[in-house]
């Protein structure tokens, strides 16, 4: 079994999208994904790519991925956000997730970044335990805040 962790390529985006959909199903949001292969190709591989993706290949087949992008912290400067890290269910427990996680942290270190951050669902005990064992701080006093497209439109129209 040959395992390779590498930078994703444009032609990997169909497999990456399937992994994104698998993650959405795991997170009990199977119908939430509206992104397309075309969107991933355009936004990740254009003149100014919005994200980087790393893939885990086993015997030439993509079995996992980690997608990251830069953020800016007024306290720390440029940081890295880990949006998604997913390994196909049948490959979990094989070390692929750890290898992708390590690749993300190596990338951050190579870039001279001061912080990597991400969000984990409070019910995903396995992931939380893994992150804590790795030395990450799981912050319990911050809330993730989001506003969806409908909320944006409504707010802007109401407050114009």
């Amino acid at each position: 079994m040959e395992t390779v962790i590498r930078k994703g390529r444009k032609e990997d985006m169909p497999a990456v999208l399937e992994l994104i959909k698998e993650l959405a199903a795991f997170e009990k949001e199977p119908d939430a994904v509206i992104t397309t292969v075309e969107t991933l190709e355009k936004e990740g591989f254009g003149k100014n790519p919005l994200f980087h993706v790393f893939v885990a290949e086993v015997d030439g087949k993509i079995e996992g991925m980690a997608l990251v992008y830069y953020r800016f912290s007024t306290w720390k400067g440029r940081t890295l956000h880990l949006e998604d890290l997913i390994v196909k269910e049948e490959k979990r427990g094989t070390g692929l997730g750890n290898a992708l996680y390590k690749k993300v942290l190596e990338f951050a270190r190579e870039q001279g970044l001061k912080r990597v951050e991400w969000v984990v669902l409070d019910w995903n005990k396995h992931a939380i335990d893994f992150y804590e064992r790795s030395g990450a701080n799981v912050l319990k006093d911050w809330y993730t805040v989001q506003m969806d497209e409908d909320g944006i439109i409504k707010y802007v129209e109401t407050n114009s």
Side-chain angles (χ1 to χ4, degrees), residues 100-149:
L100 283 163
Y101 183 70
K102 181 180 178 196
K103 184 70 168 180
V104 167
L105 297 177
E106 287 172 346
F107 177 75
R109 185 176 179 192
E110 290 164 6
Q111 299 298 306
L113 304 179
K114 306 294 184 214
R115 181 170 68 202
V116 178
E117 53 199 346
W118 59 96
V119 177
V120 62
L121 290 166
D122 62 357
W123 56 260
N124 193 346
K125 183 85 169 109
H126 180 73
I128 292 168
D129 290 346
F130 170 78
Y131 295 138
E132 288 178 333
R133 280 193 314 273
S134 80
N137 298 314
V138 178
L139 305 176
K140 295 179 174 75
D141 54 348
W142 288 78
Y143 289 98
T144 300
V145 180
Q146 298 179 336
M147 186 177 288
D148 65 14
E149 183 180 21

Side-chain angles (χ1 to χ4, degrees), residues 14-49:
V16 167
L17 182 58
E18 287 308 308
L19 285 160
I20 291 167
K21 290 177 179 179
E22 184 171 333
L23 178 61
F26 173 77
E27 292 182 350
K28 301 174 177 63
E29 294 278 349
D31 301 321
V33 178
I34 62 170
T35 250
T36 64
V37 169
E38 294 74 23
T39 300
L40 291 170
E41 290 173 348
K42 176 185 170 202
E43 302 295 1
F45 299 90
K47 184 178 176 186
N48 297 304

